[in-house]
Amino acid sequence: MNTEASATPTASSDVTVRALEDVDLDDIVRIDELITGHYRPDTWEERVTYYLRRNPDGALVAESEGEVVGFMLGDIRGGEFGLDELTGWIEVLGVDPGHRGKAIGRHLATTMFTHFQTEGAQVVRTMVDETMDGIERFFLSLGFAPAPLKPFVKRL
């Protein structure tokens, strides 16, 4: 693993960002349940296992006073959607609702941006669900702008 988050945690005020470890699974499940109202341990076990095996440097948690209060999962890919440039993708962001307003998401994103840049990514992308209150505003505050990519969905 060659991530700055695992070697030297990013700390600011009382928030520390570090590499996700398998022991963080219960905290991620807890945060997701607080956000969504759904208890999904199997879903998160699968996702965390995927990231720890495929791209451990793209899996981060934020701690405050020794408690995991946020997480971010990201990946670096190229050639998707006809985009040739190496792209960092922020795929999942979760912050404990009781700890919002403490720049936890910003600390996670800053650490992820550093990882993406170190690995050669030229751009960072994410997708925003407009029904999730505040998430679009959050990404705009980080300097993201709407992109010309347009998602299409077909339910089966």
Side-chain angles (χ1 to χ4, degrees), residues 71-72 90 92-95 100-110 113 126 128 132-144:
F71 64 97
M72 181 177 279
I90 294 176
V92 180
L93 166 64
V95 175
R100 289 187 181 155
K102 299 179 182 178
I104 292 165
R106 183 170 297 279
H107 292 305
L108 286 162
T110 300
F113 295 162
T126 192
V128 172
M132 295 178 71
D133 184 42
I135 195 72
E136 182 175 356
R137 207 170 38 251
F138 169 73
F139 280 109
L140 289 170
S141 78
L142 292 174
F144 282 77

Side-chain angles (χ1 to χ4, degrees), residues 8 10 38 40 45 52-53 55 58 72 79 88 91 94 110 113 116 126 133 139 147-148 152:
T8 54
T10 300
H38 301 288
R40 307 182 301 173
E45 182 175 16
L52 290 177
R53 286 189 181 151
N55 185 20
M72 181 177 279
E91 296 184 0
T110 300
F113 295 162
F116 288 157
T126 192
D133 184 42
F139 280 109
F152 285 83

Side-chain angles (χ1 to χ4, degrees), residues 35-127:
I35 294 169
T36 67
H38 301 288
Y39 180 66
R40 307 182 301 173
D42 294 339
T43 298
W44 287 106
E45 182 175 16
E46 184 177 310
R47 286 181 111 169
V48 166
T49 300
Y50 169 84
Y51 275 90
L52 290 177
R53 286 189 181 151
R54 186 181 185 284
N55 185 20
D57 296 341
L60 305 171
V61 296
E63 291 182 327
S64 178
E65 299 179 10
E67 176 188 8
V68 173
V69 294
F71 64 97
M72 181 177 279
L73 303 177
D75 199 7
I76 299 174
R77 299 185 298 269
E80 292 186 318
F81 310 110
L83 304 170
D84 290 330
E85 61 196 347
L86 196 57
T87 301
W89 286 90
I90 294 176
E91 296 184 0
V92 180
L93 166 64
V95 175
D96 183 322
H99 291 270
R100 289 187 181 155
K102 299 179 182 178
I104 292 165
R106 183 170 297 279
H107 292 305
L108 286 162
T110 300
T111 304
M112 189 69 76
F113 295 162
T114 299
H115 163 62
F116 288 157
Q117 192 170 31
T118 299
E119 295 299 316
Q122 302 163 358
V123 66
V124 179
R125 290 188 166 84
T126 192
M127 297 187 71

